[in-house]
Amino acid sequence: MSYLAKNYNRKKISFKFGKGSYLFSTDKKKYLDFVQGIAVNSLGHSHPKLIKTIKIQSKKLWHVSNAFQIPEGEKLAEKLCKKTFADFVMFQNSGAEATEAAVKVARRYFYSIGKPKKNRILCVKNSFHGRTLAAIFASGSKKMTEGFGPKIPGFDHFRFGNHDSLKKKINKNTAAIMVETVMGEGGIKVIPDWCLRELRQLCNKKKILLILDEVQCGVARSGDFFAFEKSKVKPDIVPIAKGIGGGFPIGAVLMNKKVASGMIAGSHGSTFGGNPLAMTVGNTVMDIVSKKSFLNNIKKLSKYFLEKLNNIKSKHPDIIKEIRGRGLLIGIQLHNNPTLFIKKLMDHRLLTIRAAENVIRILPPLNVKKKEIDIAVKIISKVCKDLK
Ligand SMILES: *Cc1c(COP(=O)(O)O)cnc(C)c1O
């Protein structure tokens, strides 16, 4: 009997401890963990520097109210701004909170310049921005919103890749376009760089804001600190979360000076957001993952991994439809439902997680070793042969 609500479909396995890329189950089996809490544990399990950071800070100060200065947060915000397009940062605790706060920043900006009716957010149909009420209606997914009405107004939708529909849906009340740079839950669908550039141009022309949700693909996951960087596009607002805490819940909204001007004192807040314990962990993660050599290594590993996976695909075109992704956010799209494939991977001690469109998501820690990728490749190849 479990007293936990049944809102998750949990696999019958639990873990006792983790180390690097590996998880050790309570029934004493060793698993290669290529889920990492869904792109959360960017440095794998039990990273010595994170353990040290938490040990030291936990003896000093956990939490104070945002009514006071928090130097650890000042430090992390400065690092985030110096590495990116952003001028200001607002800390939250999760991805959904960060995407909602991003919407608030966009609306507050137009309100502050005397255009309060410019408040609609244009999103991709069946995208994923989190599970709070506003976020599920932003995602526009029937499955996620079912039973949670009344509908939260203020969100319009277009289909991924349908540029005509996107242009048609922009009206005088549109405040922002909000898209995931790489759709995670939606099946590891990458918005091409040229497309991001057109999006930016379109937003400039229509004088609306561009919000890029990098909660999953951001914070080095793509091989660049942000997945949009390669396109040279500068968004106005970027929510982040998952990877920045390395397993500690942290969310944040990054924004440029223009939109930040609307966020005057008292306009937004979060009790837990940006507390000293969280911020100290965030600083340690940031120092490691934002290093050029660290990012270059992700690119190298990604290229190697994608090559190996494409080799497997060419041997099993009847099973694998496409290999896609960026950095260490990788999707193996099957022709059929991936449930059995994922189960077989798990039987061979490789943990992965599904996404929409028959995609198996592969999310190793960002400091994964090449030989661990080799092990995963072997297992994936073996499962393909098994399924013949
Ligand atoms: C996971 C995710 C969220 C929501 O994050 P939570 O921490 O679960 O609230 C929002 N946007 C994207 C792109 C995500 O992948």
Short mmCIF file of all heavy atoms in Angstrom, two decimals, residues 354-388:
data_model
loop_
_atom_site.label_atom_id
_atom_site.label_comp_id
_atom_site.label_asym_id
_atom_site.label_seq_id
_atom_site.Cartn_x
_atom_site.Cartn_y
_atom_site.Cartn_z
N ARG A 354 11.13 8.10 -22.05
CA ARG A 354 10.48 8.38 -23.32
C ARG A 354 10.09 9.84 -23.46
O ARG A 354 10.04 10.59 -22.49
CB ARG A 354 9.28 7.47 -23.52
CG ARG A 354 8.14 7.73 -22.55
CD ARG A 354 7.00 6.77 -22.81
NE ARG A 354 6.53 6.88 -24.18
CZ ARG A 354 5.76 5.95 -24.77
NH1 ARG A 354 5.41 4.86 -24.14
NH2 ARG A 354 5.36 6.14 -26.01
N ALA A 355 9.85 10.24 -24.69
CA ALA A 355 9.27 11.54 -24.98
C ALA A 355 8.18 11.30 -26.03
O ALA A 355 7.99 10.16 -26.45
CB ALA A 355 10.34 12.50 -25.50
N ALA A 356 7.49 12.34 -26.46
CA ALA A 356 6.42 12.16 -27.44
C ALA A 356 6.99 11.68 -28.78
O ALA A 356 8.22 11.64 -28.97
CB ALA A 356 5.67 13.47 -27.62
N GLU A 357 6.12 11.31 -29.68
CA GLU A 357 6.49 10.89 -31.05
C GLU A 357 7.39 9.66 -31.08
O GLU A 357 8.34 9.60 -31.88
CB GLU A 357 7.15 12.06 -31.80
CG GLU A 357 6.25 13.26 -31.94
CD GLU A 357 6.77 14.31 -32.92
OE1 GLU A 357 7.95 14.22 -33.32
OE2 GLU A 357 5.99 15.19 -33.27
N ASN A 358 7.13 8.70 -30.18
CA ASN A 358 7.90 7.45 -30.15
C ASN A 358 9.40 7.66 -29.95
O ASN A 358 10.23 6.94 -30.50
CB ASN A 358 7.70 6.64 -31.45
CG ASN A 358 6.27 6.14 -31.58
OD1 ASN A 358 5.56 6.01 -30.57
ND2 ASN A 358 5.84 5.86 -32.80
N VAL A 359 9.73 8.65 -29.18
CA VAL A 359 11.15 8.98 -28.98
C VAL A 359 11.64 8.47 -27.62
O VAL A 359 10.96 8.58 -26.61
CB VAL A 359 11.38 10.51 -29.09
CG1 VAL A 359 12.78 10.89 -28.59
CG2 VAL A 359 11.18 10.96 -30.53
N ILE A 360 12.83 7.88 -27.64
CA ILE A 360 13.53 7.51 -26.41
C ILE A 360 14.53 8.62 -26.13
O ILE A 360 15.37 8.93 -26.98
CB ILE A 360 14.27 6.17 -26.57
CG1 ILE A 360 13.29 5.06 -26.92
CG2 ILE A 360 15.06 5.84 -25.30
CD1 ILE A 360 13.95 3.76 -27.35
N ARG A 361 14.40 9.23 -24.96
CA ARG A 361 15.29 10.34 -24.62
C ARG A 361 16.52 9.83 -23.90
O ARG A 361 16.42 9.02 -22.98
CB ARG A 361 14.56 11.30 -23.69
CG ARG A 361 14.41 12.68 -24.26
CD ARG A 361 13.74 13.60 -23.29
NE ARG A 361 12.54 13.05 -22.68
CZ ARG A 361 11.83 13.69 -21.76
NH1 ARG A 361 12.23 14.88 -21.33
NH2 ARG A 361 10.75 13.15 -21.25
N ILE A 362 17.68 10.31 -24.33
CA ILE A 362 18.95 9.91 -23.73
C ILE A 362 19.56 11.16 -23.11
O ILE A 362 19.91 12.10 -23.82
CB ILE A 362 19.91 9.37 -24.81
CG1 ILE A 362 19.18 8.41 -25.73
CG2 ILE A 362 21.16 8.78 -24.20
CD1 ILE A 362 19.36 6.97 -25.46
N LEU A 363 19.68 11.16 -21.80
CA LEU A 363 20.16 12.35 -21.07
C LEU A 363 21.28 11.97 -20.10
O LEU A 363 21.06 11.92 -18.89
CB LEU A 363 19.00 12.98 -20.31
CG LEU A 363 17.81 13.47 -21.14
CD1 LEU A 363 16.58 13.64 -20.28
CD2 LEU A 363 18.16 14.77 -21.82
N PRO A 364 22.48 11.73 -20.62
CA PRO A 364 23.59 11.39 -19.71
C PRO A 364 23.98 12.61 -18.89
O PRO A 364 23.61 13.74 -19.25
CB PRO A 364 24.72 11.01 -20.66
CG PRO A 364 24.25 11.23 -22.05
CD PRO A 364 22.91 11.87 -22.01
N PRO A 365 24.72 12.41 -17.82
CA PRO A 365 25.27 13.60 -17.16
C PRO A 365 26.22 14.29 -18.13
O PRO A 365 26.78 13.65 -19.02
CB PRO A 365 26.02 13.01 -15.96
CG PRO A 365 26.27 11.59 -16.28
CD PRO A 365 25.17 11.16 -17.21
N LEU A 366 26.42 15.58 -17.95
CA LEU A 366 27.25 16.34 -18.90
C LEU A 366 28.73 15.99 -18.77
O LEU A 366 29.52 16.29 -19.65
CB LEU A 366 27.02 17.85 -18.70
CG LEU A 366 25.57 18.31 -18.86
CD1 LEU A 366 25.45 19.82 -18.64
CD2 LEU A 366 25.02 17.92 -20.23
N ASN A 367 29.10 15.36 -17.66
CA ASN A 367 30.49 14.92 -17.48
C ASN A 367 30.63 13.41 -17.70
O ASN A 367 31.52 12.78 -17.16
CB ASN A 367 30.99 15.31 -16.08
CG ASN A 367 30.10 14.76 -14.98
OD1 ASN A 367 29.08 14.11 -15.27
ND2 ASN A 367 30.46 15.00 -13.73
N VAL A 368 29.72 12.86 -18.51
CA VAL A 368 29.76 11.42 -18.81
C VAL A 368 31.10 11.05 -19.45
O VAL A 368 31.72 11.86 -20.14
CB VAL A 368 28.57 11.06 -19.77
CG1 VAL A 368 28.73 11.75 -21.12
CG2 VAL A 368 28.44 9.55 -19.94
N LYS A 369 31.55 9.82 -19.21
CA LYS A 369 32.81 9.37 -19.79
C LYS A 369 32.54 8.68 -21.12
O LYS A 369 31.48 8.06 -21.31
CB LYS A 369 33.50 8.39 -18.84
CG LYS A 369 33.92 9.04 -17.52
CD LYS A 369 34.78 8.07 -16.71
CE LYS A 369 35.23 8.68 -15.41
NZ LYS A 369 34.18 8.64 -14.35
N LYS A 370 33.55 8.78 -22.01
CA LYS A 370 33.40 8.17 -23.33
C LYS A 370 33.12 6.67 -23.20
O LYS A 370 32.31 6.11 -23.92
CB LYS A 370 34.67 8.43 -24.14
CG LYS A 370 34.59 8.02 -25.56
CD LYS A 370 35.69 8.70 -26.38
CE LYS A 370 35.87 8.06 -27.73
NZ LYS A 370 36.83 6.95 -27.72
N LYS A 371 33.78 6.05 -22.26
CA LYS A 371 33.59 4.59 -22.13
C LYS A 371 32.18 4.25 -21.64
O LYS A 371 31.66 3.17 -21.91
CB LYS A 371 34.68 3.95 -21.27
CG LYS A 371 34.69 4.31 -19.80
CD LYS A 371 35.66 3.34 -19.09
CE LYS A 371 35.54 3.42 -17.58
NZ LYS A 371 36.41 4.40 -16.93
N GLU A 372 31.55 5.18 -20.94
CA GLU A 372 30.15 4.95 -20.52
C GLU A 372 29.22 5.09 -21.73
O GLU A 372 28.23 4.35 -21.84
CB GLU A 372 29.78 5.94 -19.41
CG GLU A 372 30.53 5.65 -18.11
CD GLU A 372 30.53 6.79 -17.11
OE1 GLU A 372 30.14 7.93 -17.46
OE2 GLU A 372 30.95 6.57 -15.96
N ILE A 373 29.55 6.01 -22.62
CA ILE A 373 28.78 6.11 -23.87
C ILE A 373 28.92 4.81 -24.66
O ILE A 373 27.94 4.29 -25.21
CB ILE A 373 29.25 7.33 -24.70
CG1 ILE A 373 28.83 8.63 -23.98
CG2 ILE A 373 28.69 7.28 -26.13
CD1 ILE A 373 29.29 9.91 -24.66
N ASP A 374 30.14 4.27 -24.70
CA ASP A 374 30.37 3.01 -25.40
C ASP A 374 29.50 1.88 -24.84
O ASP A 374 28.96 1.07 -25.58
CB ASP A 374 31.85 2.60 -25.32
CG ASP A 374 32.73 3.46 -26.21
OD1 ASP A 374 32.22 3.97 -27.23
OD2 ASP A 374 33.93 3.65 -25.89
N ILE A 375 29.39 1.85 -23.52
CA ILE A 375 28.56 0.81 -22.89
C ILE A 375 27.10 0.98 -23.32
O ILE A 375 26.43 0.02 -23.71
CB ILE A 375 28.67 0.89 -21.34
CG1 ILE A 375 30.10 0.51 -20.90
CG2 ILE A 375 27.65 -0.03 -20.66
CD1 ILE A 375 30.40 0.82 -19.43
N ALA A 376 26.62 2.24 -23.29
CA ALA A 376 25.23 2.50 -23.69
C ALA A 376 25.01 2.10 -25.15
O ALA A 376 24.00 1.46 -25.48
CB ALA A 376 24.91 3.98 -23.49
N VAL A 377 25.97 2.46 -26.01
CA VAL A 377 25.85 2.13 -27.44
C VAL A 377 25.74 0.62 -27.64
O VAL A 377 24.91 0.13 -28.41
CB VAL A 377 27.06 2.71 -28.21
CG1 VAL A 377 27.19 2.09 -29.60
CG2 VAL A 377 26.95 4.23 -28.30
N LYS A 378 26.56 -0.12 -26.91
CA LYS A 378 26.54 -1.59 -26.99
C LYS A 378 25.16 -2.13 -26.60
O LYS A 378 24.62 -3.02 -27.24
CB LYS A 378 27.61 -2.16 -26.06
CG LYS A 378 28.66 -2.94 -26.82
CD LYS A 378 29.60 -3.66 -25.88
CE LYS A 378 30.99 -3.68 -26.51
NZ LYS A 378 32.06 -3.65 -25.54
N ILE A 379 24.62 -1.59 -25.51
CA ILE A 379 23.32 -2.06 -25.03
C ILE A 379 22.21 -1.74 -26.04
O ILE A 379 21.38 -2.59 -26.37
CB ILE A 379 22.99 -1.45 -23.64
CG1 ILE A 379 24.00 -1.93 -22.59
CG2 ILE A 379 21.56 -1.80 -23.21
CD1 ILE A 379 23.88 -1.25 -21.22
N ILE A 380 22.24 -0.51 -26.57
CA ILE A 380 21.22 -0.11 -27.54
C ILE A 380 21.29 -1.00 -28.78
O ILE A 380 20.27 -1.48 -29.30
CB ILE A 380 21.39 1.39 -27.92
CG1 ILE A 380 21.09 2.27 -26.69
CG2 ILE A 380 20.46 1.78 -29.08
CD1 ILE A 380 21.59 3.70 -26.80
N SER A 381 22.52 -1.27 -29.22
CA SER A 381 22.72 -2.12 -30.38
C SER A 381 22.20 -3.54 -30.12
O SER A 381 21.55 -4.16 -30.97
CB SER A 381 24.21 -2.13 -30.71
OG SER A 381 24.49 -3.07 -31.68
N LYS A 382 22.48 -4.03 -28.92
CA LYS A 382 22.05 -5.38 -28.54
C LYS A 382 20.52 -5.49 -28.52
O LYS A 382 19.95 -6.47 -29.01
CB LYS A 382 22.62 -5.69 -27.15
CG LYS A 382 22.57 -7.15 -26.76
CD LYS A 382 23.46 -7.40 -25.55
CE LYS A 382 23.49 -8.85 -25.12
NZ LYS A 382 22.32 -9.65 -25.34
N VAL A 383 19.89 -4.46 -27.97
CA VAL A 383 18.42 -4.48 -27.91
C VAL A 383 17.83 -4.46 -29.32
O VAL A 383 16.83 -5.15 -29.60
CB VAL A 383 17.89 -3.31 -27.04
CG1 VAL A 383 16.39 -3.14 -27.21
CG2 VAL A 383 18.23 -3.54 -25.57
N CYS A 384 18.44 -3.70 -30.22
CA CYS A 384 17.98 -3.69 -31.61
C CYS A 384 18.03 -5.11 -32.19
O CYS A 384 17.10 -5.56 -32.86
CB CYS A 384 18.84 -2.76 -32.47
SG CYS A 384 18.43 -1.03 -32.27
N LYS A 385 19.15 -5.82 -31.93
CA LYS A 385 19.30 -7.19 -32.43
C LYS A 385 18.27 -8.12 -31.80
O LYS A 385 17.66 -8.95 -32.47
CB LYS A 385 20.72 -7.71 -32.16
CG LYS A 385 21.72 -7.17 -33.15
CD LYS A 385 23.14 -7.63 -32.81
CE LYS A 385 24.17 -6.70 -33.44
NZ LYS A 385 25.39 -6.58 -32.62
N ASP A 386 18.07 -7.94 -30.48
CA ASP A 386 17.08 -8.77 -29.76
C ASP A 386 15.69 -8.64 -30.37
O ASP A 386 14.90 -9.58 -30.36
CB ASP A 386 16.96 -8.30 -28.29
CG ASP A 386 18.12 -8.79 -27.44
OD1 ASP A 386 18.99 -9.48 -28.00
OD2 ASP A 386 18.14 -8.46 -26.25
N LEU A 387 15.39 -7.42 -30.81
CA LEU A 387 14.03 -7.14 -31.28
C LEU A 387 13.81 -7.56 -32.73
O LEU A 387 12.72 -7.42 -33.28
CB LEU A 387 13.70 -5.65 -31.11
CG LEU A 387 13.45 -5.22 -29.66
CD1 LEU A 387 13.33 -3.72 -29.55
CD2 LEU A 387 12.20 -5.89 -29.08
N LYS A 388 14.86 -8.02 -33.36
CA LYS A 388 14.77 -8.48 -34.77
C LYS A 388 13.79 -9.63 -34.91
O LYS A 388 13.78 -10.55 -34.12
CB LYS A 388 16.16 -8.90 -35.25
CG LYS A 388 16.90 -7.73 -35.91
CD LYS A 388 16.69 -7.78 -37.42
CE LYS A 388 16.59 -6.44 -38.09
NZ LYS A 388 17.65 -5.54 -38.14
#
